[in-house]
Amino acid sequence: MTRIGFIGLGNMGLPMAANLVKAGYQVKGFDLSPSALQAANEASIATTNSAVETLEEAEVVITMLPAGHHVRAVYTDEEGILNHVTKGVLLIDCSTIDVSSARDVVSAASARGFDMVDAPVSGGVGGAQAGTLTFMVGGTDEAFERAQPILEAMGKNIIHAGGAGNGQAAKICNNMLLGISMIGTCEAFVLGEKLGLDHQKLFDIASTASGQCWSLTSYCPVPGPVETSPANRDYVGGFAAALMLKDLKLSQEAARDSGVATPLGQHAASLYEEFNEAGQSDTDFSGIINFIRNGAN
Ligand code: NAD
């Protein structure tokens, strides 16, 4: 039975760790937050008093943390993973972070002889609970092959995106496209309303014509056409606007670092920033339609 140390038992980490336990792995988890530790114990996940303790006897270490600086610290600090983990351990970081931090940490890990992958996810808390996440994985072929069976216990689609950092690159490119397409879809519905076009009619036509995209057909931002859309639940739950803003900012940081112009990505980031600042950070990201309807520019 493979022993796994799991650091970061928040909204995503906790259900992911629970699925590993369900699949028969022996998991020891740690989080800085006492309430996260308590929730883990209630979900029958063994916990420790420090990150270092989760590493004892671990054959695989998984991290699910908020941002790049947390990941850098947890791996490379004096008391960090790389200084305490035993030889041959596989390292998997599932956090969504900037590409540079991901590449730096993987390179520090490989300099010490460890296999490590960046493996950010798509699918949200629902996907983490159901074990249906998509993992976008960056790393060597060998590291990917070792990580794959473990990721399969938490997800449905495990895709090798290339070398170190390419998992993060895929995640932010995808989510930049998603932010832009959601805003475009919202604008089309708001313009349609002003022109006297019924929501359902616009949906029926655009979803079978060239305007078709996931934001329209799977996550329609107006109530009615797609039963599962957060639009039918007053934009509660789903993918929070704060997380969309985080990913758009990461895309803009990467665009700047690599000298690429992404004008629509930049505009999407500033619209989501205004939306968040208007107190909507917990609202589902498709709720930006109300902001656009009220004259965002
Ligand atoms: P979260 O804030 O709920 O959980 C992060 C956990 O990390 C917290 O419990 C925090 O206490 C813990 N933590 C921070 N520093 C730590 C340290 N040094 N040692 C131990 N624990 C530490 O966040 P989340 O929603 O679980 O998201 C985790 C990652 O997954 C983020 O990078 C996020 O962008 C990404 N993500 C989230 C979603 C989502 O829908 N929530 C979807 C896809 C990707």
Side-chain angles (χ1 to χ4, degrees):
M1 187 197 293
T2 307
R3 293 181 296 270
I4 300 180
F6 202 114
I7 302 173
L9 299 167
N11 292 324
M12 296 292 288
L14 177 60
M16 289 165 69
N19 279 327
L20 290 169
V21 172
K22 234 184 267 168
Y25 290 100
Q26 193 181 313
V27 180
K28 272 202 284 183
F30 175 70
D31 195 291
L32 288 178
S33 146
S35 60
L37 288 175
Q38 193 185 333
N41 289 329
E42 282 163 12
S44 302
I45 297 164
T47 56
T48 62
N49 293 317
S50 70
V52 170
E53 266 183 63
T54 63
L55 310 177
E56 287 166 9
E57 297 178 358
E59 295 157 275
V60 177
V61 174
I62 301 178
T63 46
M64 190 51 161
L65 300 163
H69 64 96
H70 301 98
V71 173
R72 281 182 186 272
V74 164
Y75 279 91
T76 63
D77 274 2
E78 189 67 25
E79 279 303 297
I81 294 170
L82 297 185
N83 274 341
H84 287 88
V85 85
T86 47
K87 211 169 152 224
V89 167
L90 170 67
L91 307 171
I92 302 177
D93 178 42
C94 295
S95 327
T96 299
I97 64 171
D98 58 289
V99 176
S100 309
S101 294
R103 290 192 171 142
D104 288 351
V105 174
V106 173
S107 136
S110 4
R112 291 169 187 234
F114 295 110
D115 277 340
M116 176 167 185
V117 293
D118 53 293
V121 305
S122 168
V125 175
Q129 287 165 342
T132 55
L133 293 170
T134 291
F135 285 89
M136 296 154 251
V137 189
T140 62
D141 289 347
E142 297 73 34
F144 176 75
E145 272 164 34
R146 288 183 69 192
Q148 194 169 17
I150 292 148
L151 300 178
E152 277 168 354
M154 302 180 283
K156 204 167 61 174
N157 301 304
I158 322 295
I159 301 160
H160 192 187
N166 277 23
Q168 301 295 349
K171 165 93 187 177
I172 58 175
C173 289
N174 179 73
N175 280 19
M176 181 178 79
L177 180 56
L178 173 63
I180 293 169
S181 78
M182 180 52 78
I183 290 169
T185 305
C186 291
E187 288 184 359
F189 274 105
V190 170
L191 179 60
E193 286 165 8
K194 284 284 177 211
L195 299 176
L197 198 51
D198 178 66
H199 285 163
Q200 187 65 48
K201 289 284 176 212
L202 177 56
F203 177 87
D204 291 346
I205 292 162
S207 64
T208 52
S210 47
Q212 190 251 105
C213 65
W214 187 91
S215 294
L216 175 73
T217 55
S218 296
Y219 215 86
C220 189
V222 294
V226 175
E227 206 189 317
T228 50
S229 286
N232 296 308
R233 306 188 301 274
D234 205 19
Y235 307 97
V236 171
F239 183 51
L243 288 172
M244 174 48 84
L245 177 60
K246 174 190 169 181
D247 293 350
L248 285 168
K249 282 183 168 170
L250 288 174
S251 77
Q252 294 313 290
E253 204 178 309
R256 268 193 305 279
D257 288 351
S258 46
V260 174
T262 55
L264 290 184
Q266 192 180 354
H267 200 56
S270 74
L271 279 174
Y272 273 103
E273 183 138 42
E274 283 175 49
F275 187 54
N276 273 265
E277 279 167 3
Q280 300 296 322
S281 51
D282 291 336
T283 303
D284 178 76
F285 81 115
S286 63
I288 201 163
I289 191 167
N290 290 323
F291 195 61
I292 289 167
R293 196 179 275 123
N294 294 334
N297 52 40

